[in-house]
Amino acid sequence: AGAEAVKRAVELDLASRFQESLVCYQEGIDLLLQVVKATKDEAKKHRYRQKISELLFFSDGKYHKQIRIEENATGFGYEKLFQEYLTEIVSEVWVEDPYIRHVHQASRYSLYNFLRFCEMLVKGPCKVKTIHLLTSYDEGNGRSQQISGLEEIQQSLRNYGVTLNIAFSSSIHDREIRFNNGWMIKIGRGLDYFKKPQGRFSIGYCDFDLRPCNETTVDVFHTKHTKKM
C-alpha cells in the first residue's frame, strides 16, 4: 500500500498536481513509518528509514494554498473545504477557535457548526479517534449552556468511539484546524463563516453547501512530518 501511494505521488508530481501529490507522499510516509515500527530486522529498518528520508526530500514538506471566499458565495460546506485533506490515516484532530460558544446570539451558530464539523469527521473516510478542542468561555450568561452543549457533543461522539478533549483559554485568538497527517487549515472566521439562514425552512439551513458565506480567507499549509523514525 505504501509503494502504491508513493507511485501515485510521483505520477501526480510529474503532472504538476502538487497538492494531490503531497497528500499521497504523506500517506506513503505514514505507511512506511508503520512498517518501521513493526519490523524487527535492523537492516530492513535502516533501508526503510532511508526511503522515508528520500520521500521527505522529494515531498519537501512545504505547501501553502490560499482560498478566498467571497461575500454571499455558496459551495463552501465543510466537506467541500476539508475532505481532500482527511485521508484514511487521519486519527487525531486539533481545533483552536475562541468562539465555539452557545447559540444565545442570533448571529452565531458556532456550537452547531462545531457539531456539523464533528459529524463530517465521524462519516470518514478518515478514522478519527481523538478531537482536541481549545476555545474560550462564553463571556455572557451562556457559559453553563456552552459547557452543557459541548458535553452533549462529547457524549455523542463517545458513542461513535471518538474522544473529545475540551480545554478553555482566555488568551486564545488564532483560529486553526490541524490534522495529524501534517495538514493545517486557518480560516479567518474560524468555523463560523456561514451567514445566518433566512429561516428554519429556507434552502441552505441544513445543507451548508447551499448556505451563503461571509467573506473570509482560508489558508492551507502542510508541515514536514516530524514523527520519530
Side-chain angles (χ1 to χ4, degrees), residues 1-10 12 20-36 48-56 59 87-90 181 183 222 225 227 229:
E4 285 299 318
V6 172
K7 181 181 176 182
R8 179 65 176 153
V10 173
L12 292 166
E20 297 166 81
S21 171
L22 192 51
V23 171
C24 289
Y25 273 125
Q26 187 64 52
E27 192 163 344
I29 290 167
D30 279 338
L31 289 167
L32 284 173
L33 281 168
Q34 292 174 26
V35 173
V36 169
Y48 286 134
R49 288 190 181 110
Q50 282 187 320
K51 178 56 69 177
I52 290 168
S53 295
E54 291 172 10
L55 290 174
L56 286 171
S59 68
T87 57
E88 291 185 2
I89 59 174
V90 173
N181 60 355
W183 290 103
H222 189 279
H225 208 293
K227 285 183 181 178
M229 293 185 287

Side-chain angles (χ1 to χ4, degrees), residues 51-69:
K51 178 56 69 177
I52 290 168
S53 295
E54 291 172 10
L55 290 174
L56 286 171
F57 175 78
F58 284 118
S59 68
D60 190 31
K62 297 176 183 177
Y63 179 83
H64 177 220
K65 172 184 177 182
Q66 187 173 84
I67 303 165
R68 184 77 175 179
I69 299 178

